Amino acid sequence: MTHVLTALAWPYANGPRHIGHVAGFGVPADVFARYMRMRGHDVLMVSGTDEHGTPILVQADAEGLTAAEAAAKYNRIIVEDLDALGLSYDLFTRTTTGNHYKTVQELFTTLHANGYILQQRTLGAISPSTGRTLPDRYIEGTCPHCGFDSARGDQCDNCGRQLDPVDLIDPKSRINGETPKFVEEDHFFLDLPAFAEALNAWLDTRTGWRTNVLRFTKNLLDEMHPRPISRDLDWGVPIPLEGWADRPDKRLYVWFDAVIGYLSATIEWARRSGDPEAWKRWWQDPEAVSYYFMGKDNIVFHSEIWPAMLLGANGEGAKGGEPGSLGTLNLPTEVVSSEFLTMEGKQFSSSRRVVIYVRDFLERYSPDALRYYICAAGPENQDSDFTWAEFLRRNNDELVAGWGNLVNRSIAMAAKNFGAVPEPGELEDVDRELLATTKAAFDTIGDLIGANKVRAGIGEAMKTVAAANKYLADTAPWKMKEDPKRQGTVLYTVLQAVSDLKTIMSPFLPHSSQRVHELLGGEGVFAPMPYIEEVADLDEGGATDGPYPILTGDYSDVPKWESVPLVPGTVLEKPVPVFTKLEPSIVDEEIERLNA
Ligand SMILES: [Zn+2]
């Protein structure tokens, strides 16, 4: 048994998330975590909403809310959506908790003590009329990289690049239109060049990474600069240094605190579990492994910056140093990055209304229909396109006509003819062959999921479904009225295959596997689901706005990843279909909805 940290990218709490987001970080990570638990590993799946930074403030301004109110609003929506999708988080929390603030400040303090945080003079914007610091979000200008004319002081929403206000062409205050004055001031920088050598050595020890992630990260090492970690901002984690901690206009940069969330969420989980030291099993045990899941726009933070921060906190960069109070912390085992999901050929964009929110999707379709699409056709190794026509085809031709039909036909026939799982007679070669196929599928598909090849994994599972459907067609048990013994043997064989397949399918499609388990006469929880719990912040000092929802669950009693013999005589009833066939008209309806 190994301790496996499954670390998912932190969805940003400035709006509801769309299906492209959950295709990148959510579903692939959940498949992995569910499988690893079934293999007997001690999995901890953590994340939360990323709630600091300028875009939250911009959204809050637009809605007439405080930043804390806006963050709380979207945190709740996102928690509910991830719950509905069945993502089996051990803890999904937030970056505004007191526990997170403490952990971030502790890591900053250690990095600072080890000499990896530089204080440098830089140009900051002030308002000429008031003489006060002008926060990044109130400065707008033309992006020097792409020419977008309403880039903000810290980021261009068009090309996604991080900016400094001084980079903007023709900067203007969004408050009163005046041109800001730039004055020298101090800010903090992470000394990335001090980690170049250690990062390079660490990357050389990585195996099994997707080649694009490794290549991209190696290229980053060629040109490393100190990276700013503080901003002119009044929303975020205060800088824990004398003369800075009380300043209302200086905060740690949102990315710096967000990546520390993996650690703080594990600590919060341990504290809530009643064993406050338990987090160390995933972070300090050298045998523990950690897998980080995200979209490709986030690779840099997980394969370069977060490892650099961990090296610095461990005292393992070029300047040496000592581990802080959190001890020596594990670097990522693997950074698993997805490409982008587009929609009907276009980039998802909330502002251009090219978007399908998770919530809207799940109001009309089942969570497993979405999970199936993402597993089978998601952007695992290259960008992939979501189209409603393809969703319809995958749902109807593969999920309903393939897996759903196998479940329905075999259980219905057994229920009708025997009212129970029949007692098998002597197996024939064709029976043994099918059972050998499903048994072998555990190894093949398990290895694929373990290597984060979800697309190939579900492809193999559907091939096994096809083999079972072919077996039914070839043996034709509905023609065996005269030979109930042989009919019973065939139905027993196919039900055993269905039972194996519900286990194999459960990491991908947990909701329907639970249903199949029940249709086969099983009791209790087969594929455990997360649940929402309202909690109070554990500590003072954060920015949560009263009690808030966390996503958590009890996954201690999951079935093993293996074939379990069916018990003849188990009562079966006429099944209700597990999946819903969709009308072809949904394609036009959905496209119309999009253009409305
Ligand atoms: Zn730009």
Side-chain angles (χ1 to χ4, degrees):
M1 185 198 67
T2 307
H3 288 92
V4 181
L5 182 72
T6 307
L8 283 71
W10 290 58
Y12 200 62
N14 67 333
R17 297 295 91 187
H18 58 65
I19 62 168
H21 289 127
V22 292
F25 71 82
V27 174
D30 189 52
V31 173
F32 178 77
R34 285 178 178 276
Y35 166 71
M36 293 307 260
R37 289 187 191 112
M38 293 172 82
R39 291 300 303 267
H41 296 303
D42 207 342
V43 172
L44 199 74
M45 175 161 149
V46 292
S47 187
T49 38
D50 179 1
E51 301 187 4
H52 295 126
T54 311
I56 301 281
L57 292 158
V58 170
Q59 186 65 28
D61 286 350
E63 297 188 40
L65 300 173
T66 66
E69 286 165 352
K73 173 181 167 181
Y74 290 112
N75 160 262
R76 187 170 292 274
I77 289 174
I78 291 167
V79 164
E80 288 170 1
D81 289 352
L82 301 179
D83 178 52
L85 203 49
L87 301 183
S88 58
Y89 289 95
D90 289 278
L91 179 66
F92 185 89
T93 179
R94 330 172 49 178
T95 56
T96 40
T97 67
N99 173 73
H100 180 70
Y101 277 40
K102 272 198 331 202
T103 311
V104 169
Q105 291 181 333
E106 180 56 34
L107 217 65
F108 177 97
T109 303
T110 306
L111 284 165
H112 190 261
N114 285 343
Y116 296 109
I117 289 179
L118 314 170
Q119 190 169 338
Q120 289 183 354
R121 301 294 278 172
T122 173
L123 286 176
I126 61 166
S127 158
S129 56
T130 67
R132 291 213 304 254
T133 299
L134 197 53
D136 297 335
R137 71 180 184 286
Y138 290 128
I139 306 169
E140 215 168 62
T142 301
C143 172
H145 303 289
C146 73
F148 181 59
D149 63 5
S150 30
R152 279 193 318 261
D154 60 346
Q155 171 179 318
C156 171
D157 280 343
N158 188 53
C159 68
R161 285 189 174 83
Q162 284 201 348
L163 301 172
D164 267 310
V166 71
D167 299 336
L168 293 172
I169 300 163
D170 196 18
K172 288 271 188 294
S173 161
R174 289 178 54 211
I175 299 168
N176 57 14
E178 66 187 358
T179 303
K181 202 166 101 188
F182 289 99
V183 295
E184 288 214 312
E185 54 172 16
D186 277 2
H187 267 292
F188 293 97
F189 291 75
L190 180 65
D191 188 5
L192 279 178
F195 302 107
E197 213 172 300
L199 281 174
N200 205 23
W202 168 69
L203 284 170
D204 282 341
T205 65
R206 299 299 89 201
T207 53
W209 284 30
R210 292 179 183 164
T211 44
N212 61 331
V213 181
L214 205 53
R215 198 181 317 123
F216 176 83
T217 310
K218 284 265 187 183
N219 286 340
L220 288 173
L221 301 188
D222 293 342
E223 207 189 330
M224 294 178 94
H225 307 286
R227 188 162 180 128
I229 60 170
S230 58
R231 294 315 279 173
D232 291 325
L233 203 67
D234 52 3
W235 173 244
V237 181
I239 299 161
L241 291 175
E242 219 186 295
W244 291 84
D246 298 328
R247 288 191 63 170
D249 60 337
K250 305 283 175 202
R251 289 290 181 269
L252 289 171
Y253 215 143
V254 55
W255 65 259
F256 181 84
D257 90 74
V259 290
I260 298 173
Y262 300 115
L263 177 60
S264 69
T266 315
I267 293 172
E268 183 184 342
W269 171 84
R271 292 176 65 193
R272 291 194 184 280
S273 79
D275 181 3
E277 302 297 307
W279 66 271
K280 293 179 178 170
R281 303 204 285 265
W282 286 272
W283 285 94
Q284 294 185 351
D285 174 0
E287 301 298 314
V289 293
S290 53
Y291 289 77
Y292 291 72
F293 293 82
M294 75 224 60
K296 65 179 164 188
D297 50 334
N298 258 324
I299 296 176
V300 58
F301 294 106
H302 297 86
S303 67
E304 184 200 24
I305 296 171
W306 178 229
M309 288 162 67
L310 289 165
L311 286 164
N314 292 345
E316 292 168 345
K319 296 174 176 172
E322 295 292 328
S325 68
L326 297 170
T328 299
L329 301 168
N330 290 341
L331 269 62
T333 302
E334 187 174 341
V335 173
V336 187
S337 157
S338 295
E339 306 291 303
F340 288 143
L341 187 71
T342 53
M343 193 181 96
E344 305 282 352
K346 299 186 196 97
Q347 289 252 333
F348 276 101
S349 158
S350 302
S351 55
R352 274 167 292 173
R353 302 185 52 116
V354 184
V355 72
I356 312 166
Y357 292 116
V358 172
R359 170 153 313 207
D360 295 340
F361 196 103
L362 295 182
E363 262 171 28
R364 298 193 283 279
Y365 310 104
S366 76
D368 279 7
L370 178 55
R371 291 178 67 116
Y372 180 72
Y373 189 98
I374 290 172
C375 290
E380 188 172 285
N381 279 309
Q382 53 187 19
D383 291 352
S384 75
D385 194 34
F386 178 92
T387 67
W388 285 106
E390 180 68 355
F391 171 68
L392 177 81
R393 189 189 71 74
R394 295 249 179 210
N395 183 77
N396 285 2
D397 297 1
E398 297 179 3
L399 207 49
V400 176
W403 174 220
N405 189 39
L406 174 67
V407 170
N408 203 53
R409 273 211 300 178
S410 54
I411 297 176
M413 244 184 292
K416 185 173 161 223
N417 292 293
F418 297 90
V421 176
E423 185 76 48
E426 183 91 20
L427 296 189
E428 295 182 6
D429 278 353
V430 64
D431 313 326
R432 278 191 286 270
E433 213 174 284
L434 178 66
L435 294 180
T437 300
T438 54
K439 220 166 215 170
F442 280 95
D443 284 343
T444 318
I445 296 164
D447 288 348
L448 288 168
I449 301 176
N452 286 300
K453 294 176 176 162
V454 168
R455 216 170 152 150
I458 201 156
E460 283 298 320
M462 291 305 280
K463 268 190 216 165
T464 315
V465 165
N469 271 323
K470 182 173 185 304
Y471 167 87
L472 262 190
D474 290 350
T475 53
W478 51 89
K479 291 184 189 160
M480 293 175 178
K481 291 270 184 312
E482 312 307 310
D483 187 357
K485 186 144 197 208
R486 178 61 194 149
Q487 188 185 42
T489 307
V490 167
L491 288 175
Y492 174 84
T493 302
V494 77
L495 288 176
Q496 181 64 51
V498 168
S499 175
D500 289 350
L501 276 161
K502 82 166 186 233
T503 308
I504 287 170
M505 286 293 188
S506 67
F508 307 105
L509 310 174
H511 302 86
S512 47
S513 278
Q514 175 69 38
R515 291 276 303 119
V516 176
H517 168 74
E518 290 159 12
L519 291 175
L520 287 171
E523 283 172 2
V525 173
F526 183 77
M529 287 296 159
Y531 56 85
I532 296 171
E533 198 176 302
E534 299 288 328
V535 298
D537 207 332
L538 292 172
D539 305 283
E540 303 273 302
T544 52
D545 198 12
Y548 59 93
I550 55 169
L551 204 52
T552 184
D554 177 4
Y555 316 107
S556 53
D557 195 19
V558 293
K560 286 207 173 78
W561 184 258
E562 64 186 18
S563 174
V564 176
L566 275 180
V567 181
T570 306
V571 172
L572 297 178
E573 281 163 26
K574 188 174 182 297
V576 177
V578 176
F579 301 108
T580 310
K581 191 172 176 184
L582 299 170
E583 293 299 328
S585 58
I586 67 137
V587 175
D588 286 345
E589 285 163 24
E590 290 293 350
I591 290 173
E592 226 164 83
R593 198 172 265 131
L594 214 60
N595 298 329

